[in-house]
Amino acid sequence: MNILPVKNKGELSYNIVIDNSLDNLNESLKDTGRKWGRALIISDSNVSALYLNNVRSVLESGGLFTEIESFTFQAGEEHKNLSTVSIAYDFLISHHFDRHDIIFALGGGVTGDLSGFTAASYLRGIEFVQLPTSLLAMVDSSIGGKTGVDFKSFKNMVGAFYMPVLVYMNLSFLDSLPDNQIRSGLGEIVKHGLIADRNYLDFIYDNADLIIKRDKDTLSSIIKRSCEIKKYVVEKDPNEQGLRAILNFGHTIGHAVEKLSDLKLLHGECVSLGSIAASYLSYKRGTLSKNDYHYILNVYKKLGMMTGLDEDFNITPQDIVDATHSDKKRNGDKIRFITLDGIGKALMCDDVTDSEIADAAGSIIL
C-alpha cells in the first residue's frame, strides 16, 4: 500500500491510497479523523453490477456508518449531465441525507465528476470519497477536486473545485477493464511524462510490453508516478490559476475531437490524439526537436494507441478549429494552449492562432 498525502497551503487536504484490495479502506476512512452518519454509494449501471455489493459489504464490516444506501445511474458520458444530478438530488432529499453524511463515488471519471459535483452542491457541500475503478480516473480525474458535468454538447461546462476527503485506489478493479479503457488511461499517463518527466516517458516506452500485458508491478509503478506528478501540480495550484493549466496539455484539440466524434472515442483516447497534435505544433514552433516528435509518436504506437483519425470519423481540421471556439480556456479571441519546451517541460502559450490549430489538427487526420 502506498499513501500520498495531498496538501493545501501546507496542510493535509486528503490522502491518495494506492492498494491492491479494499482491505485497508475502513482504516483509511478512520485515518481522516472524521465521523459520519450515513453513506451513499453512487455508481453507474456497469460498475454497480460488478462492485457495488463488495464495496457495501466492506463498508458495513467497518461499522463506521449507521446506514448505507446506493444510487445507480445509467452508464455513459451522455448521462453525465444536470438531469442525472437532479435525480441524485431527489434521492438525497427523499432519503433525508444531511451534512453529517457522506457520498462514495464508485466508478470511473464520469461517476467521480458527477458525484463530486453533487456532493459540492447538495446542501452547499457534503463530504465525499473517490473510489476510482478505471485507470483514467485513478491517474487523473479522482485527484485534484475538479468536479463537473457536461451541458448539452459542452464537456465539463458546469462544475466546482471541491476536494474529496479520501481517494482510495483498489488496483484489482482494473482487472475487469476492457483494453480500450486501459488505453484511455494511458493517454493521461503518457501526458504526464510529456509535460513533467522525460525519464518517466522513457520508462513507459521501455516497459510498454509489460504495460499492455497489465503486469501488476508495472501498472502500480506508473499509477504511483502519475499520481505524484498530478499531486505536485495540484498542490502548487489547486484552483487552476497558473501552473495547473499544464495538465490541459492535449485537451484543447482532444476535447474538440471528443465532441466531434459523438463520444465514440473515450476521453483518454482523445487526449492522446490532442497530445500528438500539440507535440506537432511544438515541433513546428521550434520548441520540440523533430527526433523527439517522432519519439513521442513511437511511444503511442508501441502502446498500441491511436495516432490519427481515419476517414470514417469524417472530421476536418476546420471542424476541430470551430469546436475549440467553445473551449473553457478561451479568453475572447485567444486560447491558452499548452505546448512542449522539449519532452518533460510544458509551455503555456496565449498566442496560438486558429491556423496553427488547424495545422496541428491536420497532423492527426489520416
Side-chain angles (χ1 to χ4, degrees), residues 16-19 132 138-139 142-143 167-171 223 227:
I16 301 168
V17 178
I18 305 173
D19 206 350
M138 288 180 184
V139 300
S142 69
I143 305 168
V167 178
Y168 191 97
M169 302 178 185
N170 169 20
L171 301 191
I223 289 169
C227 287

Side-chain angles (χ1 to χ4, degrees), residues 4-233:
L4 303 176
V6 179
K7 296 181 179 181
N8 186 12
K9 298 179 180 178
E11 298 293 327
L12 178 66
S13 181
Y14 58 92
N15 283 328
I16 301 168
V17 178
I18 305 173
D19 206 350
N20 290 314
S21 70
L22 293 171
D23 292 349
N24 294 294
L25 176 58
N26 287 312
E27 196 62 36
S28 298
L29 289 167
K30 291 177 185 177
D31 288 344
T32 67
R34 295 168 165 87
K35 292 184 178 181
W36 304 278
R38 292 181 299 161
L40 175 64
I41 305 170
I42 296 181
S43 190
D44 71 30
S45 53
N46 291 338
V47 173
S48 177
L50 292 170
Y51 299 123
L52 177 59
N53 289 338
N54 185 23
V55 171
R56 184 198 293 273
S57 178
V58 169
L59 292 177
E60 287 175 343
S61 71
L64 299 177
F65 307 102
T66 58
E67 189 177 1
I68 299 172
E69 297 277 2
S70 62
F71 169 77
T72 299
F73 64 95
Q74 190 63 37
E77 177 79 28
E78 65 271 25
H79 298 289
K80 185 179 134 180
N81 54 43
L82 292 173
S83 295
T84 305
V85 172
S86 179
I87 298 170
Y89 288 154
D90 283 339
F91 186 97
L92 287 160
I93 293 168
S94 64
H95 288 76
H96 309 293
F97 275 79
D98 62 34
R99 289 177 181 159
H100 299 98
D101 301 324
I102 188 169
I103 289 174
F104 285 82
L106 174 64
V110 169
T111 298
D113 283 357
L114 187 146
S115 302
F117 179 69
T118 300
S121 51
Y122 180 69
L123 297 176
R124 297 190 177 92
I126 66 173
E127 293 182 332
F128 84 110
V129 170
Q130 290 272 18
L131 294 176
T133 60
S134 71
L135 182 59
L136 179 68
M138 288 180 184
V139 300
D140 183 47
S141 59
S142 69
I143 305 168
K146 285 176 76 171
T147 71
V149 295
D150 304 338
F151 181 72
K152 297 183 178 179
S153 61
F154 303 108
K155 188 173 176 65
N156 294 329
M157 193 58 67
V158 180
F161 286 100
Y162 193 67
M163 300 298 174
V165 297
L166 173 69
V167 178
Y168 191 97
M169 302 178 185
N170 169 20
L171 301 191
S172 68
F173 283 151
L174 300 178
D175 294 342
S176 64
L177 288 184
D179 289 341
N180 66 333
Q181 288 282 357
I182 294 293
R183 289 193 296 269
S184 181
L186 290 173
E188 292 286 353
I189 286 170
V190 172
K191 180 198 77 176
H192 291 145
L194 290 174
I195 64 172
D197 187 349
R198 173 153 196 160
N199 290 333
Y200 179 38
L201 188 70
D202 292 340
F203 178 87
I204 293 167
Y205 180 80
D206 292 340
N207 292 276
D209 291 341
L210 289 173
I211 293 170
I212 292 171
K213 292 176 182 176
R214 306 195 193 191
D215 176 75
K216 288 290 176 61
D217 289 340
T218 307
L219 284 179
S220 180
S221 294
I222 62 176
I223 289 169
K224 180 174 182 287
R225 182 60 188 135
S226 275
C227 287
E228 288 171 342
I229 290 171
K230 184 154 189 184
K231 164 183 129 65
Y232 172 81
V233 174

Side-chain angles (χ1 to χ4, degrees), residues 249 253 273-289 292-294 296-297 337 339-340 355-364:
F249 179 78
I253 289 177
L273 293 171
S275 296
I276 292 169
S279 299
Y280 177 82
L281 191 151
S282 304
Y283 157 57
K284 296 295 284 187
R285 282 192 154 210
T287 60
L288 183 72
S289 72
D292 279 349
Y293 168 64
H294 285 291
I296 291 168
L297 284 175
F337 199 103
T339 61
L340 296 177
S355 63
E356 286 181 298
I357 294 176
D359 187 35
S363 72
I364 57 168

